[in-house]
Amino acid sequence: MDSGDDMELDTGSRVTGIRLPCPRHLVGRVIGPGGSNIRRLQEESGAQIKIDSTVDPPLVSIYGPLKAQEKARIGVMRITDPPKLVLKCDRKFVGQVIGPKGSMIRSIREKSGGARIQVDSNAAGGPTITITGDIQAIQAASMIIRRIIDPPRQVIRAPRKRLGVLIGPGTVLVCLKYGCIMCVPMAEV
């Protein structure tokens, strides 16, 4: 963050603003479709925001009263460096998190209030799931994803002579209906 950049306002007075470097690939996200994000940030904060993409890295300049500048700075930072949570996951759950044609990710985004979910199945050390957005959306998405990648487990112990009743002919149907997984150690059968 840089300060000390001056701008002349319509009133003829000069004000000091702040400048934030912005990764080039995020300039469009700060601006938003048809300028919607930058207009929203200006309206919500009361600051003026200008982007100079002729320099490297591009600079976001924010002008106005100090409180307005700070509010706009926070808004820009939420776009350029949003809060995030990274979860590690077993490779066998990647497909379940993504869902057919991305349907589960879309569903999680909708149910969480807009969290963005990125799955990197080729990450060093195993697949990762990165969740970004506002804190509430991240928490909601995290809860949904954790139920997929770390499902609740309950161990039920049964005497050997009752295993036949427990794993009888309807077991496959019960497991499909309720989403359970039944493991019977071969040494105990």
Side-chain angles (χ1 to χ4, degrees):
M1 181 171 75
D2 185 14
S3 62
D5 187 28
D6 291 340
M7 175 185 181
E8 190 167 326
L9 295 178
D10 295 338
T11 61
S13 62
R14 296 186 76 71
V15 289
T16 301
I18 56 176
R19 292 183 297 189
L20 303 170
C22 179
R24 190 164 299 281
H25 69 281
L26 293 176
V27 168
R29 192 177 294 169
V30 172
I31 295 170
S36 61
N37 286 346
I38 204 163
R39 269 195 311 278
R40 179 183 49 79
L41 288 170
Q42 289 181 126
E43 289 170 7
E44 289 175 358
S45 69
Q48 292 183 17
I49 303 171
K50 306 285 183 199
I51 298 179
D52 182 358
S53 57
T54 63
V55 296
D56 197 24
L59 292 175
V60 177
S61 298
I62 303 170
Y63 305 97
L66 291 178
K67 284 185 179 181
Q69 287 181 33
E70 182 60 15
K71 192 170 184 180
R73 184 191 68 78
I74 290 169
V76 169
M77 294 302 293
R78 283 190 178 140
I79 295 170
T80 61
D81 188 21
K84 67 180 164 188
L85 174 66
V86 179
L87 302 172
K88 291 200 175 281
C89 126
D90 193 316
R91 192 168 305 283
K92 68 184 177 186
F93 295 116
V94 169
Q96 292 175 30
V97 171
I98 296 171
K101 298 182 181 175
S103 62
M104 182 56 81
I105 287 180
R106 283 191 300 277
S107 174
I108 294 168
R109 182 177 185 139
E110 183 179 305
K111 289 177 182 177
S112 69
R116 285 193 167 100
I117 296 114
Q118 284 187 304
V119 178
D120 183 356
S121 56
N122 298 318
T128 60
I129 301 164
T130 304
I131 309 167
T132 57
D134 64 46
I135 300 298
Q136 292 84 5
I138 290 173
Q139 289 173 339
S142 171
M143 287 176 57
I144 297 167
I145 291 170
R146 286 177 197 269
R147 277 184 263 168
I148 297 169
I149 65 174
D150 189 22
R153 294 176 185 92
Q154 185 170 2
V155 176
I156 301 172
R157 300 212 182 269
R160 184 175 296 168
K161 63 183 178 182
R162 304 298 290 166
L163 282 177
V165 174
L166 184 62
I167 61 172
T171 301
V172 172
L173 294 176
V174 169
C175 287
L176 288 175
K177 181 175 180 181
Y178 296 105
C180 67
I181 298 173
M182 185 175 294
C183 298
V184 180
M186 295 308 289
E188 293 182 18
V189 177

